[in-house]
Amino acid sequence: MTTILALLPFRPVDGVIALPAIAALLLAALPGRRRSAAINVVASFLTFLLATTLLVERPAPGDYVFVDDLNVVFVVLGTFVGFTTSIFSASYIAHEIDAGKLSPGQLRFYHGMYQALAFAMNLGLLADNIGLMWVAVELATLTTVLMVGIYRTHDALEAAWKYFILGSVGIALALFGTILVYMAAQPAIGEGEKAMVWTVLVAEASKFNPELLNVAFVFLMLGYGTKVGLAPLHAWLPDAHAEGPTPISAVLSGLLLNVALYALLRFKMLLAANPQTVAPGPLMVTLGLLSLIFAGFMLYRRRDIKRLFAYSSIEHMGLVTFAFGMGGPLANFAGLLHMTMHSLTKSAIFFAVGQIAQAKGTQRLSEIRGLTQSHPMLGWSLVVGVAAIAGLPPLGIFMSEFLIVSSTFARAPLLAIPLVFGLLVAFGALVLRLTDVAFGEPEGPSAPVDASYLPMVAHLVLVLTAGLWLPAPLVAWFQHVARMLG
Amino acid sequence: MGRFALDLAHMLAGGMVLVSFMLLYQNRMFGLLNVFALHAVVLSASVAWQAHVQAAPHLYVTAAIALLLKAIVIPVALRRMVIRLGIHRSIETVGGIGLTMLMGIALVALSMMVMLQAAAEADPLAREDVALALSVILLGLLMMVTRYNAVSQIVGFMSLENGLILAAAGAKGMPLVVEISVAFSVLVAFIVIGVFLFRIRERFDSVDTHALDDYREGRQ
């Protein structure tokens, strides 16, 4: 393996960042729908392959890019979901073109933006410079804003506008927090580039001014928290998921929320390295619980199927933030596992939902009935996906939720009450909606679907396997990362 | 040099807070754009002065970008857009001007209390700068939430970005990479917004985001 890697003319880590950028330029220039979709899939697959090599061999940390045990988890997960989504995207987009919803120009734009988004996310995850990380998250925000507005309907524009305004405010607050971190670091490290390099920052953090770090974290929490979709800063998320193309909903839920969460975790580690700062945990626990319970109740009143699952993403990101806020090896392990399982499950659900919406010609929940009869494959996949996301055994999310709840019971039993309450509320809503959509008599128009089930089934099989049996090396790896997170 | 440098930096940054307040009570579209241009001019002067005091020539670039882009190009472009869309009527605000001003004063007091205490050990120049910058940022946010109109929301957002550049310039020796990216992001943001404005106009004959909300409630 290492000998093969030595033959490459570039470092794999540079490839993970550069390949999507090159593909983005190429796709923006080339016409032709089949070829574009194929290039998109191939580029995503190669990026994923390069990302997996980072598990084996990683470069020495530089001033701009570095790989450690934490971000490699995010990168491999991210490039994998990016790859499977590109397969789903190919069939989804073919249908949209046949239906006349996208023009060839928009298609080029869409594929270019897809790879640009992959570039921004990989850059953000691998950045060793907090300024660069911020730029990458901003770029990811701008590309997704443009993709959400791509259908140019009234609702799509409104969603894109709302996302743009809230996302920009969030990103602005995060930049202010980044500047404050630099100000705190500058007396200890000295002026210039070094005071923004994450590996240097974390090594010297104990010498920083703790009060400035505290204020900085509040801004970073609000700023990147907006991008994670934490209540009360979540308002952009349901609209952006509902109005954009479904592959983008899958990428938003499965990847972009994780990137923002990753940024937050990095700064949490920075604060943890300075013993005089306030603990960032309680702030994360509070916002996480608030998101969980709020989203749980909001699930009951949804009329749009994509909006329903968008609120479910808010719920699960709240849960993950809660777990990381609790901290400690067990809760961090559970948080990491939950984040992975949620990415896989939620993107699988969006793959199913995208095909359902195309088959039924609507996203309204009241017009979708009896899917297990009219479209058995789609219907049953959705049933499995929703069972997974609601936390039913033996699927993967059951295990991570169980770990989060049991570690909370052991350490702060009072917090476990609202936690379990929120989970039950969300569970009820999802089961209620699922029985309407999946069972009973089929209703309304329905077209046959000509789509690839492979990405959806692959994700669900992974989630099921993880629920039954986690490979020992993976467990050891996650445990190691959990200890790193403190 | 020492005392005078501090006083002038203080005055210019304070001037930005003052102009932010002026933005809050503008009730005409053209007035709003003119005051925003003034905001950018004061920002440019402030950054240029920081460049001089810190002997950091790259900050002159940031100052020049602010002057050229935000004081001239963007206001002119927005003015043309406003004329073309025919929306140079008065601006609707949420709550009254008086209430907004009071909230603005409270926000400035809050940012002073937080930042002056948190950065107590930092260099006085940077400390005052970042405290005033936070005031500008919060006033920009306040403006965004108290206006229905899309153009005034953009102006609020850009004044918020001006506050960020002020903070970045005040943090001694912050790498150029970030400043250019900030300037760049404004440009990109502007293009995005511009595109959206035209599309909104194309289809719905209104850039009032309130109208969008009404539409959605009707649908639900």
Side-chain angles (χ1 to χ4, degrees):
Chain A
M1 184 76 184
T2 40
T3 47
I4 302 173
L5 287 180
L7 290 176
L8 284 177
F10 51 85
R11 295 186 307 168
V13 62
D14 297 333
V16 171
I17 296 168
L19 191 73
I22 297 167
L25 294 176
L26 196 68
L27 286 168
L30 286 177
R33 110 186 182 202
R34 288 193 196 288
R35 193 170 47 180
S36 296
I39 294 175
N40 196 27
V41 173
V42 171
S44 304
F45 179 64
L46 289 178
T47 313
F48 169 59
L49 272 191
L50 283 172
T52 52
T53 65
L54 296 179
L55 289 167
V56 187
E57 200 175 72
R58 58 188 60 163
D63 279 1
Y64 293 101
V65 170
F66 85 127
V67 184
D68 73 351
D69 292 334
L70 174 63
N71 63 11
V72 80
V73 175
F74 283 79
V75 171
V76 172
L77 176 68
T79 48
F80 176 70
V81 177
F83 162 55
T84 49
T85 307
S86 71
I87 301 177
F88 166 65
S89 160
S91 66
Y92 179 87
I93 288 301
H95 185 280
E96 293 298 277
I97 295 218
D98 294 339
K101 283 191 178 169
L102 286 175
S103 69
Q106 284 173 325
L107 181 76
R108 248 155 68 181
F109 181 76
Y110 168 86
H111 278 131
M113 279 296 155
Y114 188 94
Q115 289 296 327
L117 176 63
F119 160 70
M121 287 193 296
N122 292 347
L123 183 66
L125 290 173
L126 291 167
D128 192 15
N129 182 307
I130 54 173
L132 189 63
M133 183 160 88
W134 178 83
V135 172
V137 176
E138 154 127 30
L139 184 63
T141 308
L142 284 177
T143 51
T144 40
V145 165
L146 291 171
M147 300 240 263
V148 166
I150 203 167
Y151 288 131
R152 299 189 195 175
T153 60
H154 196 135
D155 291 350
L157 282 178
E158 188 200 342
W161 175 262
K162 206 168 173 182
Y163 179 25
F164 175 70
I165 289 289
L166 277 167
S168 310
V169 169
I171 219 79
L173 293 180
L175 179 60
F176 191 69
T178 308
I179 294 171
L180 288 182
V181 171
Y182 172 80
M183 278 184 69
Q186 181 235 330
I189 299 176
E191 290 175 19
E193 298 280 335
K194 282 286 175 202
M196 296 198 98
V197 176
W198 194 83
T199 36
V200 178
L201 287 177
V202 81
E204 306 277 333
S206 56
K207 297 180 205 150
F208 298 171
N209 178 352
E211 286 195 52
L212 259 183
L213 274 186
N214 288 343
V215 178
F217 188 75
V218 172
F219 280 98
L220 291 162
M221 178 83 212
L222 290 177
Y224 286 123
T226 308
K227 300 281 319 158
V228 179
L230 296 177
L233 308 159
H234 65 280
W236 63 272
L237 195 145
D239 291 278
H241 277 68
E243 306 304 340
T246 310
I248 299 313
S249 314
V251 178
L252 270 176
S253 260
L255 301 180
L256 194 58
L257 304 184
N258 290 356
V259 175
L261 184 71
Y262 166 80
L264 208 55
L265 285 180
R266 281 283 177 214
F267 288 107
K268 179 177 180 265
M269 287 165 81
L270 194 63
L271 254 75
N274 185 325
Q276 286 163 294
T277 53
V278 291
L283 190 60
M284 293 175 74
V285 164
T286 312
L287 284 180
L289 263 186
L290 186 68
S291 312
L292 169 69
I293 295 172
F294 171 80
F297 279 108
M298 293 304 278
L299 284 172
Y300 285 90
R301 298 190 51 207
R302 293 310 104 201
R303 298 189 175 95
D304 181 304
I305 190 163
K306 278 163 86 178
R307 234 169 248 269
L308 175 79
F309 290 113
Y311 273 100
S312 154
S313 291
I314 298 177
E315 179 217 333
H316 285 279
M317 290 319 277
L319 190 58
V320 176
T321 311
F322 172 86
F324 285 129
M326 289 295 292
L330 188 58
N332 280 337
F333 178 86
L336 214 55
L337 186 65
H338 193 76
M339 188 198 76
T340 312
M341 290 300 121
H342 172 251
S343 287
L344 292 173
T345 315
K346 190 53 66 63
S347 36
I349 289 181
F350 274 116
F351 299 159
V353 166
Q355 289 167 4
I356 290 167
Q358 285 182 336
K360 304 292 278 186
T362 178
Q363 288 176 205
R364 290 184 78 91
L365 279 165
S366 55
E367 290 166 22
I368 305 173
R369 286 278 177 275
L371 276 175
T372 44
Q373 282 188 34
S374 59
H375 302 85
M377 184 67 195
L378 274 181
W380 285 110
S381 302
L382 188 71
V383 171
V384 175
V386 174
I389 211 79
L392 283 178
L395 294 133
I397 287 187
F398 168 74
M399 192 163 70
S400 53
E401 281 185 354
F402 178 77
L403 283 174
I404 294 174
V405 170
S406 58
S407 70
T408 310
F409 259 117
R411 287 172 49 206
L414 278 180
L415 278 179
I417 299 168
L419 178 70
V420 172
F421 173 71
L423 285 174
L424 288 176
V425 168
F427 179 82
L430 285 170
V431 170
L432 206 66
R433 287 283 165 264
L434 178 71
T435 46
D436 288 349
V437 168
F439 305 110
E441 283 300 310
E443 221 179 74
S446 83
V449 260
D450 168 33
S452 123
Y453 295 113
L454 188 69
M456 182 170 76
V457 174
H459 280 205
L460 290 177
V461 166
L462 278 177
V463 173
L464 177 65
T465 316
L468 297 172
W469 170 75
L470 274 180
L474 188 74
V475 174
W477 188 294
F478 275 21
Q479 279 172 340
H480 169 67
V481 176
R483 276 194 298 274
M484 251 174 86
L485 285 168
Chain B
M1 178 70 182
R3 186 70 208 168
F4 174 69
L6 185 65
D7 284 348
L8 190 60
H10 206 156
M11 190 191 90
L12 287 169
M16 282 190 69
V17 178
L18 199 66
V19 181
S20 283
F21 271 109
M22 285 169 69
L23 281 173
L24 280 182
Y25 65 73
Q26 296 303 318
N27 55 7
R28 297 270 164 205
M29 200 62 91
F30 290 139
L32 186 75
L33 293 179
N34 289 341
V35 177
F36 174 71
L38 179 64
H39 200 260
V41 169
V42 181
L43 169 76
S44 171
S46 183
V47 174
W49 183 246
Q50 290 283 352
H52 176 69
V53 172
Q54 297 177 18
H58 64 270
L59 284 180
Y60 285 118
V61 179
T62 312
I65 293 175
L67 189 66
L68 205 72
L69 203 68
K70 291 185 159 179
I72 301 169
V73 177
I74 292 185
V76 169
L78 276 178
R79 172 185 281 267
R80 287 179 66 172
M81 202 181 279
V82 164
I83 294 173
R84 205 157 138 192
L85 301 184
I87 49 170
H88 42 275
R89 49 186 162 80
S90 57
I91 304 165
E92 227 185 315
T93 55
V94 186
I97 297 276
L99 186 64
T100 314
M101 295 298 269
L102 281 178
M103 281 161 69
I105 292 168
L107 287 176
V108 173
L110 178 78
S111 64
M112 290 297 157
M113 272 164 60
V114 170
M115 286 318 303
L116 291 184
Q117 206 202 348
E121 291 166 27
D123 170 48
L125 189 65
R127 183 180 64 214
E128 314 258 314
D129 216 45
V130 82
L132 292 166
L134 181 58
S135 308
V136 174
I137 292 171
L138 292 180
L139 288 174
L141 266 180
L142 180 65
M143 185 166 165
M144 288 179 78
V145 298
T146 54
R147 303 296 167 101
Y148 290 128
N149 178 289
V151 175
S152 4
Q153 286 182 352
I154 297 168
V155 171
F157 178 65
M158 287 191 302
S159 76
L160 188 158
E161 290 242 35
N162 284 353
L164 284 172
I165 295 178
L166 183 68
K172 227 175 167 191
M174 183 134 164
L176 178 72
V177 194
V178 178
E179 282 133 22
I180 286 193
S181 75
V182 170
F184 183 68
S185 75
V186 172
L187 184 70
V188 174
F190 178 68
I191 296 168
V192 173
I193 295 168
V195 169
F196 273 123
L197 276 180
F198 276 112
R199 287 195 193 153
I200 290 175
R201 174 67 187 178
E202 253 170 43
R203 282 166 194 273
F204 323 113
D205 301 316
S206 166
V207 276
D208 188 341
T209 48
H210 207 208
L212 293 177
D213 281 342
D214 284 347
Y215 177 85
R216 188 158 139 254
E217 273 156 31
R219 185 196 53 173
Q220 285 278 314

